[in-house]
mmCIF file of all heavy atoms in Angstrom:
data_model
loop_
_atom_site.group_PDB
_atom_site.id
_atom_site.type_symbol
_atom_site.label_atom_id
_atom_site.label_comp_id
_atom_site.label_asym_id
_atom_site.label_seq_id
_atom_site.Cartn_x
_atom_site.Cartn_y
_atom_site.Cartn_z
ATOM 1 N N ASP A 61 106.650 108.694 84.231
ATOM 2 C CA ASP A 61 107.903 107.965 84.045
ATOM 3 C C ASP A 61 108.544 107.881 85.418
ATOM 4 O O ASP A 61 108.822 108.915 86.039
ATOM 5 C CB ASP A 61 108.807 108.699 83.060
ATOM 6 C CG ASP A 61 110.076 107.923 82.756
ATOM 7 O OD1 ASP A 61 110.030 106.675 82.759
ATOM 8 O OD2 ASP A 61 111.116 108.569 82.528
ATOM 9 N N ILE A 62 108.752 106.655 85.894
ATOM 10 C CA ILE A 62 109.271 106.452 87.251
ATOM 11 C C ILE A 62 110.643 105.794 87.185
ATOM 12 O O ILE A 62 110.831 104.800 86.476
ATOM 13 C CB ILE A 62 108.328 105.571 88.094
ATOM 14 C CG1 ILE A 62 106.933 106.186 88.157
ATOM 15 C CG2 ILE A 62 108.888 105.370 89.505
ATOM 16 C CD1 ILE A 62 105.896 105.322 88.857
ATOM 17 N N ALA A 63 111.590 106.345 87.946
ATOM 18 C CA ALA A 63 112.924 105.750 88.077
ATOM 19 C C ALA A 63 113.134 105.389 89.541
ATOM 20 O O ALA A 63 112.811 106.170 90.441
ATOM 21 C CB ALA A 63 113.989 106.735 87.618
ATOM 22 N N ILE A 64 113.657 104.188 89.770
ATOM 23 C CA ILE A 64 113.915 103.702 91.128
ATOM 24 C C ILE A 64 115.392 103.348 91.239
ATOM 25 O O ILE A 64 115.969 102.774 90.303
ATOM 26 C CB ILE A 64 113.095 102.439 91.444
ATOM 27 C CG1 ILE A 64 111.631 102.629 91.116
ATOM 28 C CG2 ILE A 64 113.260 102.032 92.896
ATOM 29 C CD1 ILE A 64 110.863 101.332 91.143
ATOM 30 N N ASP A 65 115.988 103.671 92.395
ATOM 31 C CA ASP A 65 117.393 103.351 92.625
ATOM 32 C C ASP A 65 117.563 102.939 94.080
ATOM 33 O O ASP A 65 117.069 103.621 94.978
ATOM 34 C CB ASP A 65 118.268 104.565 92.314
ATOM 35 C CG ASP A 65 119.750 104.265 92.451
ATOM 36 O OD1 ASP A 65 120.174 103.165 92.049
ATOM 37 O OD2 ASP A 65 120.474 105.139 92.970
ATOM 38 N N ALA A 66 118.236 101.821 94.303
ATOM 39 C CA ALA A 66 118.515 101.351 95.662
ATOM 40 C C ALA A 66 119.979 101.583 95.981
ATOM 41 O O ALA A 66 120.853 101.311 95.157
ATOM 42 C CB ALA A 66 118.176 99.870 95.801
ATOM 43 N N GLN A 67 120.231 102.107 97.185
ATOM 44 C CA GLN A 67 121.594 102.363 97.624
ATOM 45 C C GLN A 67 121.786 101.799 99.017
ATOM 46 O O GLN A 67 120.928 101.957 99.878
ATOM 47 C CB GLN A 67 121.885 103.859 97.623
ATOM 48 C CG GLN A 67 121.784 104.481 96.261
ATOM 49 C CD GLN A 67 122.016 105.986 96.301
ATOM 50 O OE1 GLN A 67 122.183 106.574 97.354
ATOM 51 N NE2 GLN A 67 122.021 106.594 95.143
ATOM 52 N N GLY A 68 122.932 101.164 99.221
ATOM 53 C CA GLY A 68 123.255 100.626 100.537
ATOM 54 C C GLY A 68 123.500 101.739 101.539
ATOM 55 O O GLY A 68 124.132 102.745 101.214
ATOM 56 N N LEU A 69 122.999 101.555 102.758
ATOM 57 C CA LEU A 69 123.162 102.560 103.811
ATOM 58 C C LEU A 69 124.078 102.113 104.930
ATOM 59 O O LEU A 69 124.822 102.908 105.464
ATOM 60 C CB LEU A 69 121.804 102.880 104.449
ATOM 61 C CG LEU A 69 120.831 103.728 103.687
ATOM 62 C CD1 LEU A 69 119.564 103.919 104.506
ATOM 63 C CD2 LEU A 69 121.425 105.062 103.352
ATOM 64 N N ALA A 70 123.967 100.852 105.297
ATOM 65 C CA ALA A 70 124.723 100.363 106.449
ATOM 66 C C ALA A 70 125.480 99.093 106.058
ATOM 67 O O ALA A 70 124.970 98.251 105.332
ATOM 68 C CB ALA A 70 123.780 100.069 107.605
ATOM 69 N N ILE A 71 126.697 99.000 106.552
ATOM 70 C CA ILE A 71 127.547 97.842 106.267
ATOM 71 C C ILE A 71 128.008 97.264 107.598
ATOM 72 O O ILE A 71 128.443 97.995 108.492
ATOM 73 C CB ILE A 71 128.765 98.250 105.414
ATOM 74 C CG1 ILE A 71 128.288 98.837 104.083
ATOM 75 C CG2 ILE A 71 129.709 97.083 105.193
ATOM 76 C CD1 ILE A 71 129.386 99.435 103.239
ATOM 77 N N ASP A 72 127.928 95.942 107.709
ATOM 78 C CA ASP A 72 128.381 95.306 108.944
ATOM 79 C C ASP A 72 129.890 95.043 108.885
ATOM 80 O O ASP A 72 130.560 95.410 107.912
ATOM 81 C CB ASP A 72 127.591 94.027 109.235
ATOM 82 C CG ASP A 72 127.813 92.916 108.221
ATOM 83 O OD1 ASP A 72 128.741 93.012 107.400
ATOM 84 O OD2 ASP A 72 127.038 91.931 108.253
ATOM 85 N N GLY A 73 130.428 94.397 109.897
ATOM 86 C CA GLY A 73 131.864 94.132 109.991
ATOM 87 C C GLY A 73 132.402 93.232 108.892
ATOM 88 O O GLY A 73 133.606 93.227 108.612
ATOM 89 N N SER A 74 131.533 92.486 108.229
ATOM 90 C CA SER A 74 131.948 91.589 107.140
ATOM 91 C C SER A 74 131.722 92.217 105.766
ATOM 92 O O SER A 74 131.730 91.526 104.757
ATOM 93 C CB SER A 74 131.179 90.271 107.224
ATOM 94 O OG SER A 74 131.386 89.653 108.466
ATOM 95 N N ASN A 75 131.482 93.524 105.730
ATOM 96 C CA ASN A 75 131.212 94.256 104.488
ATOM 97 C C ASN A 75 129.927 93.830 103.784
ATOM 98 O O ASN A 75 129.823 93.924 102.566
ATOM 99 C CB ASN A 75 132.388 94.175 103.512
ATOM 100 C CG ASN A 75 133.493 95.124 103.884
ATOM 101 O OD1 ASN A 75 133.258 96.104 104.588
ATOM 102 N ND2 ASN A 75 134.692 94.836 103.429
ATOM 103 N N ASN A 76 128.963 93.364 104.545
ATOM 104 C CA ASN A 76 127.643 93.057 103.997
ATOM 105 C C ASN A 76 126.729 94.261 104.208
ATOM 106 O O ASN A 76 126.699 94.838 105.300
ATOM 107 C CB ASN A 76 127.028 91.835 104.690
ATOM 108 C CG ASN A 76 127.839 90.589 104.448
ATOM 109 O OD1 ASN A 76 128.284 90.338 103.337
ATOM 110 N ND2 ASN A 76 128.050 89.811 105.503
ATOM 111 N N VAL A 77 125.991 94.630 103.188
ATOM 112 C CA VAL A 77 125.030 95.739 103.319
ATOM 113 C C VAL A 77 123.840 95.229 104.116
ATOM 114 O O VAL A 77 123.250 94.196 103.794
ATOM 115 C CB VAL A 77 124.581 96.254 101.935
ATOM 116 C CG1 VAL A 77 123.556 97.365 102.090
ATOM 117 C CG2 VAL A 77 125.776 96.737 101.121
ATOM 118 N N THR A 78 123.507 95.947 105.188
ATOM 119 C CA THR A 78 122.416 95.508 106.064
ATOM 120 C C THR A 78 121.187 96.416 105.997
ATOM 121 O O THR A 78 120.168 96.110 106.607
ATOM 122 C CB THR A 78 122.889 95.430 107.529
ATOM 123 O OG1 THR A 78 123.338 96.726 107.933
ATOM 124 C CG2 THR A 78 123.994 94.394 107.679
ATOM 125 N N ARG A 79 121.275 97.529 105.285
ATOM 126 C CA ARG A 79 120.133 98.426 105.141
ATOM 127 C C ARG A 79 120.244 99.158 103.805
ATOM 128 O O ARG A 79 121.305 99.566 103.398
ATOM 129 C CB ARG A 79 120.092 99.435 106.289
ATOM 130 C CG ARG A 79 118.851 100.268 106.295
ATOM 131 C CD ARG A 79 118.502 100.706 107.720
ATOM 132 N NE ARG A 79 117.148 101.199 107.790
ATOM 133 C CZ ARG A 79 116.073 100.468 107.944
ATOM 134 N NH1 ARG A 79 116.175 99.162 108.057
ATOM 135 N NH2 ARG A 79 114.875 101.004 108.000
ATOM 136 N N PHE A 80 119.099 99.284 103.139
ATOM 137 C CA PHE A 80 119.053 99.953 101.838
ATOM 138 C C PHE A 80 118.051 101.107 101.868
ATOM 139 O O PHE A 80 117.031 101.030 102.547
ATOM 140 C CB PHE A 80 118.602 98.976 100.742
ATOM 141 C CG PHE A 80 119.661 98.021 100.303
ATOM 142 C CD1 PHE A 80 119.799 96.788 100.913
ATOM 143 C CD2 PHE A 80 120.525 98.345 99.268
ATOM 144 C CE1 PHE A 80 120.762 95.893 100.496
ATOM 145 C CE2 PHE A 80 121.496 97.463 98.847
ATOM 146 C CZ PHE A 80 121.621 96.236 99.459
ATOM 147 N N ASN A 81 118.357 102.136 101.117
ATOM 148 C CA ASN A 81 117.414 103.195 100.774
ATOM 149 C C ASN A 81 116.947 102.923 99.361
ATOM 150 O O ASN A 81 117.765 102.646 98.488
ATOM 151 C CB ASN A 81 118.112 104.564 100.782
ATOM 152 C CG ASN A 81 117.675 105.441 101.907
ATOM 153 O OD1 ASN A 81 116.993 105.007 102.825
ATOM 154 N ND2 ASN A 81 118.093 106.686 101.854
ATOM 155 N N VAL A 82 115.656 103.020 99.132
ATOM 156 C CA VAL A 82 115.112 102.907 97.784
ATOM 157 C C VAL A 82 114.546 104.280 97.448
ATOM 158 O O VAL A 82 113.615 104.747 98.101
ATOM 159 C CB VAL A 82 114.021 101.825 97.680
ATOM 160 C CG1 VAL A 82 113.536 101.691 96.251
ATOM 161 C CG2 VAL A 82 114.527 100.495 98.205
ATOM 162 N N GLU A 83 115.152 104.924 96.466
ATOM 163 C CA GLU A 83 114.736 106.268 96.081
ATOM 164 C C GLU A 83 113.940 106.192 94.790
ATOM 165 O O GLU A 83 114.263 105.424 93.896
ATOM 166 C CB GLU A 83 115.955 107.158 95.889
ATOM 167 C CG GLU A 83 116.788 107.296 97.142
ATOM 168 C CD GLU A 83 118.092 108.036 96.917
ATOM 169 O OE1 GLU A 83 118.388 108.406 95.760
ATOM 170 O OE2 GLU A 83 118.805 108.243 97.905
ATOM 171 N N GLY A 84 112.912 107.016 94.704
ATOM 172 C CA GLY A 84 112.085 107.058 93.505
ATOM 173 C C GLY A 84 111.881 108.482 93.028
ATOM 174 O O GLY A 84 111.770 109.401 93.834
ATOM 175 N N VAL A 85 111.880 108.637 91.715
ATOM 176 C CA VAL A 85 111.598 109.925 91.083
ATOM 177 C C VAL A 85 110.535 109.672 90.021
ATOM 178 O O VAL A 85 110.675 108.752 89.217
ATOM 179 C CB VAL A 85 112.853 110.522 90.404
ATOM 180 C CG1 VAL A 85 112.519 111.826 89.696
ATOM 181 C CG2 VAL A 85 113.972 110.728 91.415
ATOM 182 N N ILE A 86 109.483 110.472 90.062
ATOM 183 C CA ILE A 86 108.433 110.351 89.050
ATOM 184 C C ILE A 86 108.275 111.692 88.342
ATOM 185 O O ILE A 86 108.140 112.730 88.980
ATOM 186 C CB ILE A 86 107.087 109.889 89.660
ATOM 187 C CG1 ILE A 86 106.017 109.765 88.564
ATOM 188 C CG2 ILE A 86 106.617 110.809 90.767
ATOM 189 C CD1 ILE A 86 104.739 109.094 89.014
ATOM 190 N N ASP A 87 108.346 111.649 87.040
ATOM 191 C CA ASP A 87 108.001 112.789 86.194
ATOM 192 C C ASP A 87 106.607 112.488 85.654
ATOM 193 O O ASP A 87 106.385 111.420 85.093
ATOM 194 C CB ASP A 87 108.989 112.936 85.029
ATOM 195 C CG ASP A 87 110.379 113.305 85.488
ATOM 196 O OD1 ASP A 87 110.502 114.179 86.368
ATOM 197 O OD2 ASP A 87 111.359 112.715 84.983
ATOM 198 N N TRP A 88 105.678 113.410 85.815
ATOM 199 C CA TRP A 88 104.296 113.155 85.429
ATOM 200 C C TRP A 88 103.718 114.344 84.672
ATOM 201 O O TRP A 88 104.212 115.460 84.774
ATOM 202 C CB TRP A 88 103.437 112.820 86.642
ATOM 203 C CG TRP A 88 103.430 113.885 87.694
ATOM 204 C CD1 TRP A 88 104.286 113.981 88.762
ATOM 205 C CD2 TRP A 88 102.550 115.005 87.793
ATOM 206 N NE1 TRP A 88 103.980 115.097 89.516
ATOM 207 C CE2 TRP A 88 102.924 115.742 88.937
ATOM 208 C CE3 TRP A 88 101.482 115.459 87.033
ATOM 209 C CZ2 TRP A 88 102.255 116.896 89.327
ATOM 210 C CZ3 TRP A 88 100.821 116.619 87.418
ATOM 211 C CH2 TRP A 88 101.214 117.314 88.561
ATOM 212 N N ALA A 89 102.683 114.056 83.917
ATOM 213 C CA ALA A 89 101.972 115.091 83.165
ATOM 214 C C ALA A 89 100.507 114.695 83.040
ATOM 215 O O ALA A 89 100.198 113.525 82.795
ATOM 216 C CB ALA A 89 102.583 115.264 81.777
ATOM 217 N N VAL A 90 99.625 115.656 83.216
ATOM 218 C CA VAL A 90 98.190 115.443 83.048
ATOM 219 C C VAL A 90 97.753 116.196 81.793
ATOM 220 O O VAL A 90 98.020 117.383 81.657
ATOM 221 C CB VAL A 90 97.388 115.937 84.270
ATOM 222 C CG1 VAL A 90 95.895 115.855 84.009
ATOM 223 C CG2 VAL A 90 97.757 115.131 85.497
ATOM 224 N N ARG A 91 97.103 115.451 80.903
ATOM 225 C CA ARG A 91 96.603 116.028 79.653
ATOM 226 C C ARG A 91 95.087 115.844 79.584
ATOM 227 O O ARG A 91 94.583 114.799 79.995
ATOM 228 C CB ARG A 91 97.225 115.312 78.455
ATOM 229 C CG ARG A 91 98.689 115.530 78.296
ATOM 230 C CD ARG A 91 99.279 114.651 77.182
ATOM 231 N NE ARG A 91 100.666 114.941 76.952
ATOM 232 C CZ ARG A 91 101.664 114.543 77.722
ATOM 233 N NH1 ARG A 91 101.420 113.821 78.786
ATOM 234 N NH2 ARG A 91 102.912 114.874 77.434
ATOM 235 N N PRO A 92 94.394 116.834 79.045
ATOM 236 C CA PRO A 92 92.978 116.596 78.760
ATOM 237 C C PRO A 92 92.885 115.432 77.771
ATOM 238 O O PRO A 92 93.765 115.264 76.920
ATOM 239 C CB PRO A 92 92.507 117.906 78.122
ATOM 240 C CG PRO A 92 93.476 118.935 78.605
ATOM 241 C CD PRO A 92 94.785 118.207 78.736
ATOM 242 N N ASP A 93 91.844 114.637 77.894
ATOM 243 C CA ASP A 93 91.692 113.462 77.038
ATOM 244 C C ASP A 93 91.800 113.844 75.562
ATOM 245 O O ASP A 93 91.097 114.739 75.097
ATOM 246 C CB ASP A 93 90.351 112.784 77.320
ATOM 247 C CG ASP A 93 90.319 111.362 76.824
ATOM 248 O OD1 ASP A 93 91.368 110.701 76.831
ATOM 249 O OD2 ASP A 93 89.228 110.915 76.427
ATOM 250 N N GLY A 94 92.713 113.197 74.857
ATOM 251 C CA GLY A 94 92.899 113.426 73.437
ATOM 252 C C GLY A 94 93.839 114.576 73.100
ATOM 253 O O GLY A 94 94.138 114.795 71.934
ATOM 254 N N ALA A 95 94.319 115.312 74.096
ATOM 255 C CA ALA A 95 95.220 116.446 73.839
ATOM 256 C C ALA A 95 96.678 116.024 73.947
ATOM 257 O O ALA A 95 97.014 115.038 74.600
ATOM 258 C CB ALA A 95 94.945 117.573 74.823
ATOM 259 N N ASP A 96 97.544 116.765 73.279
ATOM 260 C CA ASP A 96 98.983 116.499 73.336
ATOM 261 C C ASP A 96 99.701 117.384 74.345
ATOM 262 O O ASP A 96 100.777 117.045 74.812
ATOM 263 C CB ASP A 96 99.619 116.705 71.958
ATOM 264 C CG ASP A 96 99.153 115.660 70.951
ATOM 265 O OD1 ASP A 96 98.829 114.539 71.379
ATOM 266 O OD2 ASP A 96 99.112 115.976 69.751
ATOM 267 N N ILE A 97 99.124 118.530 74.663
ATOM 268 C CA ILE A 97 99.777 119.492 75.556
ATOM 269 C C ILE A 97 99.243 119.305 76.977
ATOM 270 O O ILE A 97 98.035 119.368 77.212
ATOM 271 C CB ILE A 97 99.530 120.937 75.070
ATOM 272 C CG1 ILE A 97 100.107 121.101 73.671
ATOM 273 C CG2 ILE A 97 100.124 121.942 76.035
ATOM 274 C CD1 ILE A 97 99.776 122.409 73.012
ATOM 275 N N PRO A 98 100.144 119.077 77.938
ATOM 276 C CA PRO A 98 99.698 118.894 79.320
ATOM 277 C C PRO A 98 99.212 120.193 79.947
ATOM 278 O O PRO A 98 99.686 121.274 79.613
ATOM 279 C CB PRO A 98 100.938 118.370 80.034
ATOM 280 C CG PRO A 98 102.090 118.808 79.203
ATOM 281 C CD PRO A 98 101.593 118.927 77.794
ATOM 282 N N ILE A 99 98.267 120.037 80.877
ATOM 283 C CA ILE A 99 97.801 121.196 81.636
ATOM 284 C C ILE A 99 98.534 121.310 82.969
ATOM 285 O O ILE A 99 98.604 122.381 83.543
ATOM 286 C CB ILE A 99 96.275 121.175 81.858
ATOM 287 C CG1 ILE A 99 95.844 119.891 82.574
ATOM 288 C CG2 ILE A 99 95.536 121.355 80.559
ATOM 289 C CD1 ILE A 99 94.394 119.880 83.016
ATOM 290 N N LEU A 100 99.079 120.199 83.445
ATOM 291 C CA LEU A 100 99.884 120.182 84.663
ATOM 292 C C LEU A 100 101.022 119.184 84.485
ATOM 293 O O LEU A 100 100.822 118.107 83.916
ATOM 294 C CB LEU A 100 99.056 119.756 85.877
ATOM 295 C CG LEU A 100 98.062 120.740 86.447
ATOM 296 C CD1 LEU A 100 97.269 120.090 87.570
ATOM 297 C CD2 LEU A 100 98.752 121.976 86.967
#
Side-chain angles (χ1 to χ4, degrees):
D61 184 32
I62 303 175
I64 309 168
D65 184 40
Q67 298 177 356
L69 285 180
I71 300 173
D72 66 12
S74 302
N75 281 338
N76 296 317
V77 178
T78 59
R79 188 152 195 84
F80 284 91
N81 250 11
V82 183
E83 300 173 357
V85 177
I86 180 170
D87 293 316
W88 58 269
V90 173
R91 293 173 175 77
D93 198 32
D96 293 331
I97 299 172
I99 57 171
L100 286 176

